[in-house]
């Protein structure tokens, strides 16, 4: 019984190690700065879908719009920044 338990525990340990190793991903040195950033692309605003939201005390105004990528975006009307006031 002890040998059977030992074999099962070894198989379980190997399975866990294999699972962890098979799911590891990383960037190669030559890919650094090339594919490791995030673009906030919202798409092109749809006609008649943009409205200006009145600012709450202490915050700036936001323009809300629907886009051709089915995104509801909040934009700063001053500089076009996404989701900031």
């Amino acid at each position: 019984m002890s040998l059977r338990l030992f074999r099962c525990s070894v198989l379980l340990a190997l399975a866990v190690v294999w699972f962890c190793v098979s799911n590891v991903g990383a960037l190669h040195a030559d890919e650094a700065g090339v594919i490791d950033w995030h673009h906030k692309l919202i798409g092109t605003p749809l006609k008649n879908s943009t409205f200006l939201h009145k600012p709450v005390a202490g915050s700036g105004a936001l323009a809300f719009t629907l886009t051709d990528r089915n995104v509801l975006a909040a934009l700063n009307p001053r500089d076009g920044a996404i989701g900031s006031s």
Side-chain angles (χ1 to χ4, degrees), residues 31-72:
E31 294 174 339
V34 178
I35 60 170
D36 59 342
W37 67 84
H38 174 73
H39 287 287
K40 293 182 181 179
L41 301 177
I42 61 168
T44 306
L46 299 175
K47 280 189 171 185
N48 301 323
S49 69
T50 303
F51 63 93
L52 189 64
H53 178 66
K54 293 181 181 179
V56 180
S59 68
L62 290 175
F64 289 91
T65 187
L66 296 172
T67 70
D68 61 350
R69 293 186 175 191
N70 296 325
V71 174
L72 173 62

